[in-house]
Amino acid sequence: MSKDNLEKISAGLTKGEITPSDLFKSFNSIIKQKNNDIFAFREINPEWEFEAQASTKRWKAKKQKSRYDGIPIAIKDNISTRKLKTCAGSKILENYQAPYDASIIKFLTEKGFIIAGKTNMDEFAMGSSTETSYFGPTKNPLDLTKVPGGSSGGSAAGVASGMVPVALGSDTGGSIRQPASFCGTVGFKPSYGAVSRFGLLAMASSLDQIGTFTNTVDDSKAIFEIISQKDQFDATKTTLSKKNELNQKIKIGYDPEIMEKGLDDLTSKTIKQTFALLENDPKIELVKIKLELMEAGLATYYIIMPAEVSSNLARFDGIKYGLSKKSEDVLGVYLNSRQEGFGKEVKRRIILGTYVLSAGYYDAYYRRAQMVRQAMTNSLNKILENVDAIILPTSPTVAFSFGEKTDDPLKMYLSDIYTVIANLAKLPAISLPVIEKNQLPVGIQLIGRYLDDFRFLDIAKQVERGINHG
Amino acid sequence: MKISKEELERVVLLSRLKLDDSDFIKFNQSINDILVYIGQLQEISISENIDYDPPVDFEQVLRPDKPFDFVLEDWTKNVPRMHEDYIEVDAMFNDEQR
């Protein structure tokens, strides 16, 4: 069953060749075999076996909830689940039990998906390596000496190692696409507003989006169709464009300058080979474009994101939930609880965010960053009027070693240089894996038009075909 | 632009955080490095007359205006300290401030 795609598993269930109980046995044995080394899962659903038995009964009675009834899915640990703890990789939420399910959990379980467990992540999704988790690091299943990327490293590692066929993650500046690139899976971040965020623990509310880790683009589309439902609990959930057909030939824009600088040797070589394949694809036309403000994107992101972090994480005060340390007065409770409950990266971003929002610096940093964000969004949207999608690397490097970037936050932040622009401009983006024998995978990123996610996934499928069949 | 030691102390308190001495020195250094990096935005030439989008194209889906089942224990099970049905907190002001 390992590494099978969703459609194949669903076909097996429909034909009666396998049952949800078989799926439980198969995937659970892989988890038992690999999770001690990889640590993709922080917690496994103790009810999984019973839920699989119930699903098996439904299939036998021909009363299955959908063709996906009984298929396991892994959930990043910052998405609220009523039955399992939601810790967001942090000590401050070590024992937190959400009082409700996130809307997307409801959408998935209504279709019969079974929550396999909660996956490890960087603390409050702040990191690019899953090294900042309070519960310990996740390892890259393709090379245990390397990081899986982050912040959704557990979800990426879970799918890449065959522990689950699909997983959910969240992406604020590349937290789905970069780990997908490092672990060799497909990682999809929908347009901002395409998927309900109700129940997602907020990091930076204008950038956060829930998305998928899968083995194929088709699987991403299947999950996206389910999770992109309207939601009365999230006012930012927006209507998607109609499912338009693809043109005979799709136009993909690329910036030659980006292909020349800042990439490691393997990434650069793989990108060039991929371009050669796509150039020969009769259904794809590569068009030169100029991505302006690309480098400013990262600087913009590291102003807006911490500003929103400092505001969103103010709620963790030791009073209503989470770790609480006693003191003589209420200020002391705040200081002691947050001092002990938050890790260093979280504290750094809260402080940075408080600074850029403080009187005297607001105009120089935050207001300026919002202007650049809008200018960049306008520029990207203009490019996307003439091309169907933009192609660029997902990350400047392949997976790096543990500890390589932990002492230099700025070096770690540079991992996000190619991914943050899609979040800033609210655009859908996907990382497709290119895997050569005996080499670490490289991610190819596509960015599409705002709220045109279904057509964008069809484009991604065309490119996936071009990469795999070239 | 760089942040001074005194400014950092003030911002750490505004952030409702505490840092020990060794962390303070490291944070001062790393935050200054980040501020230098993000300072590049000051050099970029962009028009003041930008067409701004609304944050999202809202499409409100309203909930039915009906009460729903509410189990108090579900919402208070994570509260660190309760006194009967109330959340218990320490005094806002100490004896001198009262």
Side-chain angles (χ1 to χ4, degrees):
Chain A
M1 210 69 65
S2 169
K3 302 278 270 180
D4 265 358
N5 66 51
L6 203 57
E7 291 306 317
K8 200 171 165 190
I9 296 171
S10 171
L13 288 167
T14 308
K15 288 177 192 160
E17 293 166 356
I18 47 166
T19 66
S21 293
D22 296 333
L23 293 177
F24 163 74
K25 282 176 202 152
S26 170
F27 286 113
N28 193 47
S29 83
I30 298 170
I31 292 172
K32 278 188 174 162
Q33 192 189 323
K34 295 183 176 175
N35 200 47
N36 278 347
D37 291 332
I38 296 172
F39 194 46
F41 281 92
R42 182 197 54 73
E43 183 181 3
I44 306 293
N45 177 8
E47 306 284 317
W48 182 2
E49 185 171 12
F50 309 113
E51 290 172 23
Q53 285 166 359
S55 171
T56 301
K57 280 183 191 163
R58 287 196 294 273
W59 276 99
K60 282 189 177 152
K62 298 198 185 316
K63 286 183 177 170
Q64 66 274 15
K65 293 179 177 177
S66 79
R67 62 200 174 103
Y68 304 118
D69 197 340
I71 297 179
I73 185 166
I75 307 293
K76 188 175 178 180
D77 205 14
N78 59 351
I79 298 172
S80 298
T81 46
R82 200 182 157 95
K83 289 182 185 170
L84 301 173
K85 282 196 276 185
T86 302
C87 307
S90 183
K91 185 179 181 183
I92 209 161
L93 289 181
E94 190 177 3
N95 297 306
Y96 177 69
Q97 189 88 41
Y100 56 86
D101 279 329
S103 293
I104 50 148
I105 298 293
K106 196 169 138 260
F107 298 157
L108 288 163
T109 50
E110 277 171 359
K111 295 288 178 190
F113 278 96
I114 295 175
I115 309 303
K118 303 296 285 284
T119 55
N120 195 29
M121 56 180 283
D122 279 303
E123 185 177 7
F124 284 106
M126 297 180 206
S128 304
S129 62
T130 318
E131 291 172 288
T132 71
S133 170
Y134 167 68
F135 302 96
T138 296
K139 292 178 182 170
N140 190 318
L142 305 176
D143 179 345
L144 297 180
T145 67
K146 306 288 183 193
V147 301
S151 64
S152 314
S155 290
V159 172
S161 59
M163 294 185 199
V164 273
V166 282
L168 292 186
S170 66
D171 190 316
T172 305
S175 285
I176 289 176
R177 290 159 286 155
Q178 188 253 21
S181 164
F182 280 15
C183 293
T185 72
V186 174
F188 172 48
K189 179 204 89 75
S191 297
Y192 182 80
V195 175
S196 165
R197 290 179 293 116
F198 180 73
L200 171 70
L201 271 58
M203 174 183 164
S205 306
S206 79
L207 302 159
D208 294 340
Q209 190 50 263
I210 290 172
T212 56
F213 289 91
T214 56
N215 288 310
T216 66
V217 174
D218 274 340
D219 286 358
S220 299
K221 193 173 175 183
I223 300 290
F224 179 66
E225 282 189 348
I226 297 167
I227 63 175
S228 58
Q229 294 176 41
K230 285 183 183 175
D231 184 21
Q232 60 188 1
F233 295 104
D234 182 359
T236 64
K237 170 72 186 84
T238 311
T239 307
L240 291 160
S241 302
K242 284 181 187 165
K243 297 177 186 180
N244 297 319
E245 293 293 310
L246 285 186
N247 299 330
Q248 285 285 317
K249 200 164 190 172
I250 53 173
K251 270 191 188 177
I252 297 183
Y254 74 100
D255 185 338
E257 260 186 51
I258 287 176
M259 307 303 161
E260 301 293 326
K261 59 179 182 186
L263 305 181
D264 69 9
D265 291 346
L266 181 56
T267 306
S268 174
K269 192 182 103 192
T270 310
I271 296 281
K272 280 176 188 155
Q273 286 170 347
T274 306
F275 269 58
L277 287 176
L278 297 178
E279 269 173 349
N280 291 325
D281 190 317
K283 290 189 172 172
I284 293 172
E285 182 188 353
L286 291 175
V287 182
K288 278 187 192 175
I289 53 164
K290 173 78 186 140
L291 284 174
E292 284 165 3
L293 300 171
M294 182 80 197
E295 285 182 17
L298 195 67
T300 306
Y301 176 77
Y302 275 96
I303 293 171
I304 292 171
M305 176 271 295
E308 295 186 18
V309 161
S310 76
S311 168
N312 272 325
L313 270 63
R315 75 191 66 181
F316 300 103
D317 54 10
I319 303 291
K320 299 178 289 298
Y321 41 72
L323 182 81
S324 181
K325 302 306 283 182
K326 277 206 159 193
S327 182
E328 285 175 7
D329 57 20
V330 78
L331 179 63
V333 176
Y334 297 163
L335 296 178
N336 293 345
S337 304
R338 288 161 68 85
Q339 154 70 9
E340 195 170 324
F342 288 141
K344 285 183 183 170
E345 185 55 30
V346 173
K347 286 177 186 163
R348 182 168 14 249
R349 294 193 194 194
I350 292 173
I351 293 167
L352 190 59
T354 307
Y355 179 72
V356 299
L357 288 175
S358 59
Y361 299 108
Y362 176 88
D363 280 344
Y365 289 112
Y366 188 73
R367 186 171 170 275
R368 181 80 182 160
Q370 290 292 13
M371 286 171 70
V372 176
R373 178 183 190 175
Q374 189 63 55
M376 180 187 298
T377 303
N378 294 350
S379 162
L380 283 168
N381 286 337
K382 195 153 193 198
I383 290 170
L384 285 162
E385 283 173 10
N386 299 315
V387 295
D388 295 293
I390 296 166
I391 193 166
L392 66 168
T394 305
S395 165
T397 68
V398 292
F400 47 86
S401 300
F402 285 95
E404 199 178 314
K405 299 185 181 183
T406 40
D407 290 336
D408 187 348
L410 201 50
K411 210 171 160 189
M412 187 73 90
Y413 298 170
L414 285 166
S415 300
D416 302 330
I417 192 158
Y418 297 124
T419 48
V420 295
I421 56 169
N423 301 79
L424 289 167
K426 306 185 286 190
L427 304 174
I430 195 166
S431 179
L432 303 174
V434 180
I435 307 171
E436 298 286 342
K437 239 184 181 177
N438 302 322
Q439 282 182 352
L440 287 166
V442 172
I444 302 289
Q445 186 185 195
L446 292 171
I447 297 176
R449 294 175 187 160
Y450 179 51
L451 296 177
D452 195 19
D453 296 49
F454 285 108
R455 187 169 165 278
F456 173 65
L457 286 167
D458 290 338
I459 293 166
K461 191 179 171 183
Q462 188 66 47
V463 173
E464 182 186 47
R465 230 181 253 149
I467 294 170
N468 294 336
H469 297 166
Chain B
M1 215 177 290
K2 290 205 167 189
I3 186 168
S4 66
K5 191 171 166 277
E6 294 70 31
E7 265 184 316
L8 183 59
E9 276 170 354
R10 189 174 62 87
V11 174
V12 169
L13 184 62
L14 275 176
S15 306
R16 299 293 182 251
L17 290 169
K18 283 199 297 192
L19 295 177
D20 59 37
D21 289 348
S22 71
D23 276 350
F24 190 90
I25 294 164
K26 285 181 192 164
F27 272 55
N28 204 351
Q29 177 62 47
S30 65
I31 287 175
N32 274 328
D33 290 347
I34 296 163
L35 289 175
V36 168
Y37 183 79
I38 62 181
Q40 65 173 277
L41 287 196
Q42 312 305 324
E43 313 299 321
I44 293 169
S45 156
I46 47 167
S47 162
E48 284 283 329
N49 303 315
I50 301 168
D51 292 333
Y52 282 96
D53 294 336
V56 285
D57 304 320
F58 285 109
E59 194 217 4
Q60 295 279 13
V61 186
L62 298 175
R63 276 176 268 170
D65 187 18
K66 288 191 298 194
F68 58 92
D69 292 338
F70 182 89
V71 182
L72 183 68
E73 287 73 33
D74 276 357
W75 296 84
T76 56
K77 64 187 170 191
N78 291 294
V79 175
R81 284 183 289 152
M82 292 283 290
H83 179 74
E84 296 175 350
D85 281 351
Y86 297 94
I87 296 174
E88 190 179 320
V89 291
D90 292 302
M92 188 69 75
F93 303 106
N94 59 33
D95 288 340
E96 281 174 23
Q97 291 168 320
R98 273 191 196 129

